[in-house]
Amino acid sequence: MARPKEQTRRRSELVAAAGRAIVRRGLAGLRVRDVAEEAGLSAGLVSYYYPDVDELLLEVHQDAVDRFYWARARAAQAEQDPRRRLIRLVGAGLPAGEDDPVCRVLYETHVHAARSRTHAVLMTALWDREVSLYMAALRHGSDSGVFRLSLPVEDVAANAVALEDAYGLHIVGRNTSVPAARARELVLRFLETQTGCPLVEPCQPLG
């Protein structure tokens, strides 16, 4: 029997491998064999650590949620200037491109939430955490006198997250009419109308 540290390491490797398999094949029809191939292990060993594939998928979803959220939180916290903080927050909330691995996994597993209460809980938790990030950034700008909010802060934050989710789906879905840079600009334009603060021009040098 593997030692606890070895079990933890192996399970972490399998979660990462399952994420890669989802990016490559999609979630529908994902097989233990697909995960085994990505991990360079036997299907039997994958089943040893995860007898229930749903448990593995749940850990993949949780891992993607945590990675995505904390990347956004760090991006926002790194900036004290209200405008730059909001710009960074938008940049971290959209897929970097059609092959963004974390966002691809999130969209695949979020769809799974329609059939699984547990996955729905994870999706809801991420939404609430993202809205909270926006609310904090918007309040920071309002308290600093930089933003003049035209709607309640909760409404602006929720609409921003919803826009990101919608544009992100088009990006990872390879909709050539909505490239990542254009989606980022459109979300920022919305936030300009809600904050009374120019955001698009100052964001250009940030890349």
Side-chain angles (χ1 to χ4, degrees):
M1 180 179 293
R3 295 178 178 178
K5 287 186 178 180
E6 173 65 18
Q7 288 183 341
T8 299
R9 181 183 67 82
R10 183 67 77 187
R11 287 171 70 93
S12 179
E13 290 173 352
L14 290 175
V15 167
R20 294 193 300 271
I22 290 171
V23 170
R24 183 166 58 87
R25 297 179 56 91
L27 185 58
L30 186 71
R31 303 164 300 179
V32 170
R33 184 170 62 188
D34 301 323
V35 178
E37 289 176 358
E38 286 290 341
L41 301 170
S42 69
L45 193 55
V46 175
S47 295
Y48 169 78
Y49 285 99
Y50 289 99
D52 185 349
V53 175
D54 287 340
E55 180 188 354
L56 174 57
L57 295 179
L58 188 62
E59 290 195 21
V60 171
H61 194 171
Q62 180 70 72
D63 176 69
V65 164
D66 289 341
R67 290 168 61 191
F68 183 78
Y69 170 77
W70 285 112
R72 297 202 74 176
R74 287 191 294 269
Q77 292 167 0
E79 293 288 351
Q80 291 302 312
D81 177 78
R83 291 188 307 175
R84 293 175 66 88
R85 178 177 291 187
L86 202 54
I87 291 165
R88 291 289 191 188
L89 192 55
V90 172
L94 290 164
E98 60 190 31
D99 295 318
D100 186 304
V102 175
C103 289
R104 290 279 299 278
V105 169
L106 281 175
Y107 279 105
E108 291 280 352
T109 50
H110 281 1
V111 170
H112 196 56
R115 298 178 296 276
S116 167
R117 183 179 298 275
T118 310
H119 283 276
V121 168
L122 283 175
M123 182 178 69
T124 302
L126 179 59
W127 168 274
D128 290 341
R129 293 163 79 184
E130 289 185 276
V131 169
S132 293
L133 282 177
Y134 264 115
M135 289 175 62
L138 291 166
R139 283 173 174 152
H140 174 63
S142 180
D143 292 344
S144 302
V146 177
F147 299 159
R148 298 182 304 278
L149 299 181
S150 57
L151 289 173
V153 65
E154 296 89 346
D155 294 354
V156 179
N159 281 331
V161 175
L163 279 175
E164 290 175 349
D165 286 349
Y167 284 127
L169 179 60
H170 285 279
I171 294 169
V172 300
R174 305 182 191 280
N175 182 345
T176 56
S177 294
V178 190
R182 176 59 174 159
R184 178 170 174 265
E185 178 185 353
L186 289 170
V187 176
L188 287 171
R189 290 292 188 194
F190 162 73
L191 289 169
E192 282 185 338
T193 68
Q194 301 303 310
T195 61
C197 178
L199 297 169
V200 175
E201 289 306 318
C203 82
Q204 298 305 316
L206 299 179

